[in-house]
Amino acid sequence: MPEPTPVSLSATLAADEILERRRRAGERVLAMTSGEIGLPAHPALRERLAAAADRTAYGPVPGSPELRAAAAGYWARRGLGTDPGLVVAGPGSKPLLYALLLAVGGDVVVPVPSWVSYAAQARLAGARPLPVPIVPGQGGVPDPGRLREAVLRARAQGQDPRSVVVTVPDNPTGTVAAPGTVRRLAEAARELGLIVISDEIYCDLVYDVQGAAAPARSPALEAPERTVVTTGLTKNLALGGWRTGVARLPDSDLGHALRTRLVSVASQLWSTAPAPVQAAAAYAFAEPPEITERVAASRRLHETVVRAVAARFTAAGALLAPVAATCYLYPDFAPLRDRLAALHGVRGGDDLARHLLERHGVGVLPASAFGEPRDALRIRAATSRLYGDDDERRTAALTAADPLRLPWIAAAVERIGEVLTDLTAPRPTSRPSRRLTTPAP
């Protein structure tokens, strides 16, 4: 009997469990591991969820007509005209991504670094992840030139890459791939016959530029016939526990065939997304003013806190590409390699994450969790859990003119600075004491 596919607990969830155990033991912890957005649900969404509590029937596998129409409108407002019949809903974008890998089949190109679950899901689907590095400073999208080389080499060796997964904007780096890079990726995918699966869960969290939000460039605008887009309400509206996501299939022969396979997979995995959550999600995707205002407030909060924390990392000597979206930082401590090895025995990201947790109670994830080598001195830090430990404080953070003046956020940012100073500052060299003597009479 064949052995089951090895699978480990998600790195983010595992790290969160460790931090929670330490917190319950009375230890001082600072959770910067997972991307859970620590903000309350909007009251209008809570009302609609409660009002739909009596919807207990399964409903259509692809999702309710109301939700699919609302999602189609959401994408249309972003320049992606969408047929509601080509929208499929699921209990979170994470299960949708896995179902898409099953529906597409074959091996999967993943960027390095990339979100912790892409490669794991590929293996669970019986595929092989094909890692391709990103263009420096442009996370989420494999370098298109290296993508071509990797796919051609893999096919020559008998592998069967059929898709490439991208994240626009990116987790873990918080950066956005340039439009030219996205365009070249689309050209490479078309040339190689790859389906592009574009995870755009963070697309509403690109920071404002000169007062106007500058959206990331979706590959669906460059290769509409072969790009699947997924998104949800986990990040922009902090509804991770409500588990809802939607996928947009391309309006092409390839897209229609893929939609049929995806719905079949969904029928076997989850049957239908929770009906009450679909009702609330339909309202959110319609984007009434109170929802767009909430998303804008969240985006401003993320940017303010991320930039303050980024300044602490760069002041300590770490390299950090300018963060353009989300609540993530991906600092590189390579310039401090010799110092960290001498001071703390830290020689890679795993050592660094372990040291920060054990010495300071600060939880971060090492670069190895995102597909990088263990000796890479990079970590991912998320700021989304710094906004407060109850809804009153989180609401205050959302509405504050300057969140950094709130005592609990100021204390967290100051604590990060103190930890980084302790991590990187050279220890004072001890000197022999000078004994004062009294002259002989």
Side-chain angles (χ1 to χ4, degrees):
M1 181 175 180
E3 291 295 319
T5 302
V7 58
S8 58
L9 184 65
S10 164
T12 52
L13 300 181
D16 278 351
E17 285 186 4
I18 293 172
L19 285 168
E20 181 60 18
R21 285 199 299 269
R22 296 182 70 141
R23 186 191 67 78
R24 288 179 177 175
E27 299 180 36
R28 182 184 184 186
V29 299
L30 193 62
M32 302 182 73
T33 45
S34 80
E36 181 174 353
I37 308 298
L39 294 172
H42 193 284
L45 296 176
R46 293 201 299 266
E47 291 169 6
R48 277 155 182 81
L49 182 70
D54 61 348
R55 299 189 185 183
T56 56
Y58 281 112
V61 173
S64 71
E66 178 189 21
L67 173 56
R68 287 184 281 126
Y74 169 90
W75 276 306
R77 289 187 291 276
R78 287 153 180 78
L80 295 173
T82 303
D83 177 354
L86 289 168
V87 174
V88 176
S93 61
K94 192 172 185 177
L96 272 171
L97 289 164
Y98 179 59
L100 280 164
L101 296 182
L102 290 171
V104 173
D107 298 324
V108 187
V109 178
V110 297
V112 178
S114 64
W115 179 51
V116 298
S117 290
Y118 293 145
Q121 286 193 349
R123 295 187 186 98
L124 282 172
R128 284 171 287 193
L130 185 62
V132 176
I134 62 170
V135 176
Q138 299 185 48
V141 175
D143 182 311
R146 300 177 78 167
L147 168 74
R148 281 189 179 89
E149 295 171 1
V151 169
L152 293 175
R153 182 169 57 250
R155 286 175 175 168
Q157 296 172 351
Q159 293 179 242
D160 184 24
R162 299 185 197 174
S163 62
V164 53
V165 180
V166 302
T167 318
V168 186
D170 183 42
N171 169 15
T173 68
T175 60
V176 178
T181 300
V182 174
R183 188 176 306 113
R184 290 189 296 117
L185 170 87
E187 293 168 354
R190 185 176 290 120
E191 173 190 323
L192 296 165
L194 298 176
I195 291 174
V196 180
I197 301 173
S198 185
D199 180 354
E200 300 183 12
I201 193 77
Y202 299 100
C203 74
D204 292 333
L205 297 181
V206 181
Y207 302 153
D208 287 357
V209 177
Q210 296 180 347
R217 184 78 176 170
S218 173
L221 294 169
E222 305 292 346
E225 80 287 358
R226 61 183 56 254
T227 301
V228 182
V229 178
T230 66
T231 193
L233 305 175
T234 299
K235 306 303 179 181
N236 62 352
L237 286 167
L239 299 177
W242 289 18
R243 306 314 301 144
T244 182
V246 286
R248 174 191 183 273
L249 283 301
D251 192 0
S252 63
D253 290 344
L254 184 153
H256 284 267
L258 181 56
R259 189 259 183 203
T260 299
R261 293 197 298 275
L262 177 60
V263 171
S264 296
V265 171
S267 74
Q268 301 294 350
L269 288 181
W270 62 75
S271 300
T272 184
V277 176
Q278 289 191 60
Y283 180 80
F285 279 120
E287 298 184 294
E290 64 269 28
I291 295 301
T292 57
E293 289 167 7
R294 165 58 68 87
V295 173
S298 301
R299 187 168 55 237
R300 289 191 298 269
L301 175 60
H302 294 323
E303 180 179 10
T304 299
V305 178
V306 159
R307 293 203 186 286
V309 175
R312 301 306 190 276
F313 278 106
T314 55
L319 300 175
L320 189 63
V323 180
T326 80
C327 54
Y328 300 126
L329 302 126
Y330 201 63
D332 186 352
F333 288 81
L336 303 168
R337 183 177 293 276
D338 292 343
R339 184 184 301 179
L340 294 178
L343 292 176
H344 309 293
V346 166
R347 293 177 173 79
D350 289 63
D351 291 341
L352 181 53
R354 188 179 306 111
H355 174 83
L356 291 173
L357 178 62
E358 294 177 353
R359 182 180 177 90
H360 301 287
V362 175
V364 297
L365 291 180
S368 61
F370 304 97
E372 297 217 65
R374 291 186 179 276
D375 63 351
L377 259 174
R378 288 180 281 278
I379 57 172
R380 193 200 70 178
T383 62
S384 53
R385 306 270 288 277
L386 306 183
Y387 306 145
D389 53 11
D390 57 43
D391 280 356
E392 182 179 357
R393 287 188 169 188
R394 294 164 186 155
T395 301
L398 265 176
T399 57
D402 183 3
L404 298 175
R405 296 178 67 88
L406 296 173
W408 57 93
I409 295 180
V413 174
E414 182 180 0
R415 172 67 177 155
I416 293 165
E418 292 170 351
V419 168
L420 292 171
T421 297
D422 181 83
L423 175 70
T424 60
R427 298 288 187 268
T429 304
S430 59
R431 297 180 179 178
S433 60
R434 293 183 178 181
R435 180 178 297 176
L436 296 177
T437 59
T438 304

